[in-house]
């Protein structure tokens, strides 16, 4: 089918796209073919490998905890040698996020070293943290980007990412966003029948062939919180293997619009057993073998992301990027594949703290509370997932201060407004600094203005030990500006 003439950015308008999509079914002249049995049946529910690669994650021992935020012998918390209390004293008096720029670099370098000898793309998942300054830094370090919305694609382009090293994921991608992805040459994952239809329509509107990967749901249990599991059969993401042949036939029917270049899976988040990645990779390369047998030049395997971190600061020895890559390295090399990996959390989570001040301490019945100025509005993971993040005070308390068990809560008018429960802490004085650790991923990016608590500023400590603001805090004036002239 001949592609339509490409639209310029000035011609692009959502209403035009809506009219096209409603009045012109791009699949109307292509009969959908029934599922054929030319693919060999594969066992989908993976079990842990019979001979798993030995990794540090399987070592029950612990090791001394190593972190860019450390308590020194003087009792103060430091970030890369900079006293956090000094940072608090030098910035505006409100909750804020504080990052270590060198730790971001170290995390990326760990992946780059692990991937040596492989053709690969480190696709940073922008949903984890969308700070523009951080994105620019990751791009300079050589990362690509993983996107789940049109605005994330626009931000990636603003940050200077090479669009041919970007991957557009998602189970509900909009047609107008797919047109932009097609125009820019972004990889696009196919997630459903209607998603495929929209991608074909976008290719026609853009006048460009789209490089697509099929996101196959491998039905592998990642053994994580159900809210962050994405690769089991009940997930909203991906296509079932029973429908794979249908999708292959549909791609074949659209040679002017689609080029199938790879297969993709994503198991979930906070994964701490790398055997699971290998089990999924075994299934995926078998699918790639069968897809290649039908004449497709499939050269990419996207294994997703999801490597966990030590939120508990208990010294647990968790798998490293090298452990993860080593579990799939031989499979990738055996098929001469380009590997795409999608780390978000493991690149950014441990680089940051949410820094708060203690408003006061109270007791109700048998429960003690430390009330801080930060809240679920700034950091929702504990309220949303019942997630644990380590909490500690920024400065030493006076000798003899009583240690008690507290719930650390914010001022938001919700009983769900907590940052940590049952935490043993020295009873803090009013105004004391308190940090929630490992707040770089899915914290600021999920922040809200609930109770009109305006989203906080962000800072990072640079390589030379200097402090720089990397995001302005929102203000009340920012909020009312949305209503001007209405």
């Amino acid at each position: 089918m001949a592609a339509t003439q490409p639209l310029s950015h000035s011609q692009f308008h959502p209403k035009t796209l809506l009219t096209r999509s409603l009045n012109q079914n791009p699949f109307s002249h292509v009969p959908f073919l029934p599922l054929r049995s030319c693919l060999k049946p594969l066992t989908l529910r993976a079990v842990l490998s019979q001979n798993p690669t030995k990794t540090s994650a399987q070592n029950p021992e612990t090791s001394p905890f190593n972190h860019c935020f450390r308590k020194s012998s003087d009792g103060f918390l430091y970030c890369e040698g900079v006293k956090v209390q000094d940072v608090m004293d030098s910035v505006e008096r409100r909750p804020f996020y504080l990052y270590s720029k060198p730790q971001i670099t170290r995390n990326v370098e760990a992946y780059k070293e692990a991937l040596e000898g492989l053709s690969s793309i480190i696709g940073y998942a922008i949903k984890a943290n969308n700070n523009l300054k951080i994105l620019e830094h990751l791009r300079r370090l050589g990362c690509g980007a993983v996107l789940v919305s049109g605005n994330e694609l626009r931000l990636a382009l603003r940050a200077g990412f090479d669009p041919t090293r970007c991957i557009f994921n998602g189970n509900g991608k909009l047609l107008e966003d797919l047109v932009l992805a097609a125009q820019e040459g972004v990889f696009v994952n196919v997630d459903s029948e209607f998603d495929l239809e929209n991608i074909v329509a976008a290719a026609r509107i853009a006048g460009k062939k789209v490089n697509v990967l099929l996101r196959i749901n491998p039905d592998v249990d990642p053994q994580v919180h159900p809210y962050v599991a994405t690769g089991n059969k009940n997930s909203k993401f991906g296509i079932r293997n029973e429908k794979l042949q249908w999708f292959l036939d549909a791609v074949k029917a659209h040679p002017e619009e689609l080029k199938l270049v790879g297969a993709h899976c994503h198991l979930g988040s906070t994964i701490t057993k790398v055997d699971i990645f290998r089990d999924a990779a075994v299934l995926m390369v078998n699918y790639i073998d069968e897809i290649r047998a039908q004449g497709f030049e499939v050269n990419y395997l996207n294994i997703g992301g999801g490597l966990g971190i030590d939120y508990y600061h208990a010294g647990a020895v968790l798998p490293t990027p090298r452990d993860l890559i080593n579990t799939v390295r031989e499979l990738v090399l055996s098929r001469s594949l380009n590997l795409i990996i999608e780390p978000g959390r493991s690149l950014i989570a441990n680089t940051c703290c949410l820094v708060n001040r203690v408003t006061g301490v109270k007791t109700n019945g048998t429960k003690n509370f430390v009330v801080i100025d930060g809240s679920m509005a700034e950091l929702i993971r504990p309220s949303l997932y019942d997630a644990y993040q380590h909490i500690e005070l920024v400065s030493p308390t006076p000798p003899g201060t009583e240690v008690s068990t507290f719930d650390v809560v914010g001022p938001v008018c919700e009983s769900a407004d907590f940052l940590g429960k049952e935490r043993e802490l020295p009873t803090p004085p009013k105004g004391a600094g308190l940090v929630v650790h490992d707040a770089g991923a899915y914290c600021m990016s999920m922040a809200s203005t609930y109770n009109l608590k305006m989203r906080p500023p962000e800072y990072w400590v640079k390589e030379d030990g200097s402090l720089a603001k990397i995001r302005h805090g929102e203000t009340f004036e920012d909020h009312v500006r949305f209503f001007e002239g209405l």
Side-chain angles (χ1 to χ4, degrees):
M1 297 180 186
T4 60
Q5 291 298 312
L7 294 177
S8 67
H9 288 284
S10 61
Q11 294 171 303
F12 175 80
H13 193 279
K15 186 176 288 186
T16 304
L17 298 178
L18 181 61
T19 303
R20 286 175 180 269
S21 65
L22 290 178
N23 297 336
Q24 178 184 346
N25 183 349
F27 281 47
S28 59
H29 302 298
V30 180
F32 282 152
L33 302 175
L35 177 68
R36 297 204 306 264
S37 59
C38 58
L39 286 183
K40 297 177 182 178
L42 297 173
T43 302
L44 287 184
R45 179 162 298 282
V47 296
L48 291 182
S49 305
Q50 295 299 312
N51 296 297
T53 303
K54 292 184 179 180
T55 71
S56 54
Q58 295 159 333
N59 187 339
E61 299 177 359
T62 60
S63 64
F65 188 73
N66 187 23
H67 203 273
C68 58
F69 286 87
R70 298 185 186 132
K71 273 283 180 74
S72 183
S73 57
D74 61 6
F76 286 90
L77 183 68
Y78 288 80
C79 174
E80 302 290 350
V82 175
K83 190 181 289 187
V84 175
Q85 183 65 57
D86 290 345
V87 176
M88 293 180 65
D89 294 341
S90 67
V91 302
E92 53 189 310
R93 191 179 178 86
R94 60 187 291 186
F96 62 92
Y97 281 96
L98 179 63
Y99 297 82
S100 161
K101 186 180 180 184
Q103 185 63 52
I104 298 173
T105 302
R106 290 192 290 265
N107 289 347
V108 174
E109 291 300 322
Y111 271 99
K112 290 168 71 173
E113 292 171 5
L115 287 162
E116 286 180 0
L118 295 176
S119 177
S120 63
I121 296 175
I122 302 172
Y124 169 70
I126 289 181
K127 65 191 175 78
N129 188 306
N130 56 32
N131 183 290
L132 179 59
K133 296 299 182 182
I134 291 174
L135 295 180
E136 290 172 341
H137 182 52
L138 290 167
R139 185 261 302 163
R140 284 191 289 267
L141 292 170
C143 290
V146 174
L147 325 160
V148 290
S149 72
N151 281 339
E152 286 192 352
L153 172 52
R154 294 176 182 93
L155 190 62
L157 296 174
R158 179 74 63 90
F161 283 94
D162 178 354
T164 65
R165 291 170 58 81
C166 293
I167 304 95
F168 193 6
N169 289 341
N171 69 304
K173 299 184 284 293
L174 301 179
L175 179 58
E176 55 264 36
D177 295 337
L178 286 167
V179 171
L180 178 60
Q183 290 170 337
E184 297 292 341
V186 171
F187 290 108
V188 179
N189 274 325
V190 177
D191 191 87
S192 65
E193 293 89 341
F194 70 79
D195 196 36
L196 181 65
E197 181 176 344
N198 282 336
I199 296 167
V200 169
R204 291 174 177 170
I205 294 167
K208 289 188 176 181
K209 185 180 294 188
V210 180
N211 289 325
V212 297
L213 294 86
L214 295 179
R215 179 167 180 172
I216 301 171
N217 185 324
D219 194 11
V220 172
D221 179 7
Q223 302 174 33
V224 297
H225 191 286
Y227 286 5
V228 294
T230 58
N232 54 46
K233 66 180 180 181
N234 295 318
S235 171
K236 71 176 184 177
F237 299 104
I239 63 178
R240 294 287 294 149
N241 73 304
E242 296 93 337
K243 294 184 176 181
L244 181 55
Q245 186 61 53
W246 183 93
F247 282 93
L248 295 177
D249 291 337
V251 171
K252 288 177 185 177
H254 294 85
E256 300 300 318
E257 294 88 0
L258 305 176
K259 181 179 179 181
L260 180 59
V261 298
H264 170 248
C265 72
H266 195 291
L267 304 179
S269 194
T270 69
I271 296 172
T272 58
K273 296 179 180 179
V274 293
D275 297 20
I276 295 169
F277 287 99
R278 177 172 178 82
D279 292 335
V282 168
L283 296 179
M284 295 303 294
V285 296
N286 285 333
Y287 286 130
I288 287 173
D289 288 344
E290 298 291 347
I291 294 168
R292 282 176 168 176
Q294 295 193 38
F296 291 100
E297 294 182 9
V298 173
N299 297 314
Y300 288 89
L301 171 61
N302 186 336
I303 198 64
L307 198 61
I309 68 164
D310 185 6
Y311 280 110
Y312 284 86
H313 287 208
V317 183
L318 297 179
T320 65
R322 186 176 297 278
D323 293 329
L324 189 161
I325 301 304
N326 282 349
T327 63
V328 301
R329 174 180 291 275
E330 294 307 318
L331 285 169
V332 171
L333 289 173
S334 70
R335 304 310 197 277
S336 299
L337 291 165
N338 303 292
L339 180 66
I340 300 174
I341 187 79
E342 300 183 353
R345 181 189 313 275
S346 57
L347 283 183
I348 198 72
N350 70 349
T351 70
C352 177
C353 283
L354 175 64
V355 184
N356 314 269
R357 284 182 172 84
V358 173
T359 304
V361 176
K362 64 181 292 186
T363 299
N364 277 351
T366 59
K367 179 73 73 172
N368 300 316
F369 299 93
V370 174
V371 183
I372 60 176
D373 55 358
S375 69
M376 65 184 292
E378 291 85 7
L379 197 161
I380 199 173
R381 289 188 70 253
S383 300
L384 182 62
Y385 303 127
D386 199 25
Y388 182 99
Q389 291 179 236
H390 186 61
I391 292 173
E392 65 181 329
L393 300 178
V394 164
S395 303
T397 53
T401 299
E402 183 180 0
V403 175
S404 296
T405 300
F406 296 96
D407 283 6
V408 178
V409 300
V412 163
C413 193
E414 294 283 349
S415 295
D417 180 27
F418 64 92
L419 283 302
K421 291 184 174 182
E422 302 292 321
R423 306 300 179 88
E424 284 197 3
L425 295 166
T427 304
K430 183 178 180 179
L434 178 148
V435 300
V436 181
H437 279 283
D438 303 310
Y442 306 103
C443 293
M444 182 60 179
S445 66
M446 299 175 76
S448 73
T449 57
Y450 187 45
N451 284 197
L452 278 187
K453 284 178 64 47
M454 310 313 296
R455 280 180 282 257
E458 295 178 288
Y459 303 85
W460 65 15
V461 175
K462 300 167 71 176
E463 292 83 357
D464 62 2
S466 63
L467 181 73
K469 179 181 278 190
I470 57 173
R471 179 178 176 138
H472 296 295
E474 294 180 14
T475 65
F476 176 75
E477 287 70 28
D478 293 326
H479 178 73
V480 298
R481 194 173 295 123
F482 289 114
F483 308 97
E484 291 177 358
L486 301 180

